[in-house]
Amino acid sequence: MASLLWTACLTFLLLATVTKGTPPKNAVDVPFGRNYAPTWAFDHIKYFNGGSEIQLHLDKYTGTGFQSKGSYLFGHFSMHIKMVPGDSAGTVTAFYLSSQGNEHDEIDFEFLGNRTGQPYILQTNVYTGGKGDKEQRIYLWFDPTKEYHAYSVLWNTYQIVFFVDDVPIRVFKNSKDLGVRFPFNQPMKIYSSLWNADDWATRGGLEKTDWAKAPFIASYRGFHVDGCEASVNAKICESQGKQWWDQKEFQDLDAAQYRRLRWVRSKYTIYNYCTDRVRLPTLPRECKRDRDI
Ligand SMILES: *[C@@H]1O[C@H](CO)[C@@H](O)[C@H](O)[C@H]1NC(C)=O
């Protein structure tokens, strides 16, 4: 009887820790096909370890991409990616969330390749109601081609946070009070793709893709999805406050996270639309908040 109680107790503890927001330990082993499907050029995706790891191949004929099967309204969306190594100039690897339709919302990571030994650029952007033009660009503090790193988005009704591993690199606060649109009612799918963009990606298009180096290969794992699946039950997703990403600690960054964000700002940021007065003579309203970081 005592041991039965003990087991019940342990089970409760286990469940309690899982629901607090740490993804299950085997999250990186989830096979691709459980949550994702190829979008185009199916033969340019290669599968390993029972589908828990995949590669996207880009050659002179085509790039390729994949998307989530479900659509999600809020959550924490993460992907472990090892970027195209060596000469990746002209290539772009993207990981993003997007809704459908012409007034769509979108949350973007775009990794712009470079010549061997030259740094990648990570460009982020947010679209609300079909309007983007909110680019930020940073260099990374590591070589993204050497190991897997987690790139993730936290999206709740309070904020959208972009993370590189545990480091918040960008926050887009819900600034409804300032009259700024915030994605809140259009479910999004998760997408990733690898393609040729040598008309703009590397040094503004000066460096072209060297097709003699093809195929260009980006590797992926971590196909677990922690979001509210609107394609299954939209009603549940709209009732706020129940999911772990709605809880107090995810409604704003904490002091340590703001410190890390400021570190990224001061050391690695190379472009911020909020400070580009040439392109945007009137400061976008949400930038007031961006300045206070
Ligand atoms: C590529 O390397 C050049 C030279 O170091 C640098 O100016 C540029 O920002 C790098 N990244 C991209 C994507 O162009």
Side-chain angles (χ1 to χ4, degrees):
M1 191 62 199
S3 78
L4 204 79
L5 250 172
W6 187 227
T7 319
C9 207
L10 269 178
T11 313
F12 172 78
L13 272 173
L14 261 170
L15 282 176
T17 38
V18 167
T19 45
K20 195 164 173 265
T22 33
K25 224 175 52 232
N26 63 349
V28 292
D29 297 329
V30 171
F32 173 82
R34 186 176 305 167
N35 296 316
Y36 291 95
T39 309
W40 89 97
F42 292 21
D43 63 336
H44 279 57
I45 303 184
K46 314 285 174 202
Y47 302 84
F48 303 89
N49 306 327
S52 65
E53 192 165 354
I54 68 161
Q55 291 178 345
L56 302 193
H57 286 220
L58 163 68
D59 57 26
K60 67 179 173 203
Y61 302 104
T62 183
T64 186
F66 62 88
Q67 64 188 72
S68 62
K69 292 176 179 171
S71 306
Y72 303 89
L73 199 58
F74 307 117
H76 179 265
F77 307 94
S78 170
M79 189 62 70
H80 296 248
I81 312 175
K82 196 154 59 176
M83 299 300 157
V84 174
D87 188 345
S88 59
T91 71
V92 172
T93 305
F95 170 57
Y96 60 104
L97 302 171
S98 182
S99 64
Q100 312 285 308
N102 49 10
E103 298 218 336
H104 79 294
D105 302 322
E106 194 176 309
I107 305 168
D108 292 335
F109 282 97
E110 288 181 310
F111 299 88
L112 319 183
N114 217 333
R115 298 258 93 101
T116 306
Q118 300 300 307
Y120 266 72
I121 286 177
L122 167 52
Q123 169 167 296
T124 56
N125 201 357
V126 176
Y127 283 73
T128 54
K131 196 179 169 307
D133 298 332
K134 301 180 194 58
E135 294 88 354
Q136 293 187 2
R137 288 180 164 205
I138 66 169
Y139 287 134
L140 296 162
W141 48 94
F142 54 85
D143 180 346
T145 71
K146 287 278 184 279
E147 315 273 349
Y148 276 104
H149 288 270
Y151 303 97
S152 37
V153 171
L154 167 71
W155 172 34
N156 58 32
T157 49
Y158 301 89
Q159 58 180 355
I160 290 165
V161 187
F162 295 76
F163 290 94
V164 170
D165 296 319
D166 288 334
V167 180
I169 59 149
R170 178 174 185 173
V171 183
F172 185 78
K173 288 260 162 207
N174 188 337
S175 300
K176 203 169 68 181
D177 57 327
L178 302 176
V180 180
R181 282 177 78 144
F182 186 84
F184 75 102
N185 63 348
Q186 305 194 83
M188 302 203 221
K189 284 193 179 205
I190 310 159
Y191 297 86
S192 189
S193 50
L194 171 60
W195 79 92
N196 175 44
D198 66 2
D199 54 329
W200 64 274
T202 310
R203 289 215 297 133
L206 292 176
E207 304 283 345
K208 299 299 178 192
T209 303
D210 179 0
W211 294 111
K213 306 272 169 54
F216 302 98
I217 301 174
S219 308
Y220 290 74
R221 67 178 192 212
F223 300 110
H224 169 76
V225 178
D226 226 350
C228 191
E229 196 168 350
S231 32
V232 171
N233 194 339
K235 278 268 174 308
I236 291 176
C237 301
E238 280 160 22
S239 63
Q240 285 304 303
K242 290 193 178 62
Q243 315 278 8
W244 67 258
W245 53 82
D246 297 322
Q247 306 309 309
K248 188 95 188 117
E249 63 206 284
F250 302 101
Q251 296 176 8
D252 195 1
L253 300 184
D254 63 24
Q257 288 178 314
Y258 272 115
R259 269 200 301 280
R260 304 186 94 177
L261 178 58
R262 283 192 294 265
W263 170 75
V264 172
R265 288 268 165 135
S266 62
K267 286 218 147 69
Y268 297 100
T269 299
I270 45 183
Y271 179 82
N272 184 351
Y273 77 110
C274 281
T275 57
D276 188 346
R277 289 305 182 90
V278 177
R279 187 170 148 226
L280 305 163
T282 45
L283 195 68
R285 276 170 291 190
E286 72 277 11
C287 290
K288 218 175 95 182
R289 236 149 234 162
D290 196 78
R291 215 168 37 192
D292 295 338
I293 288 165

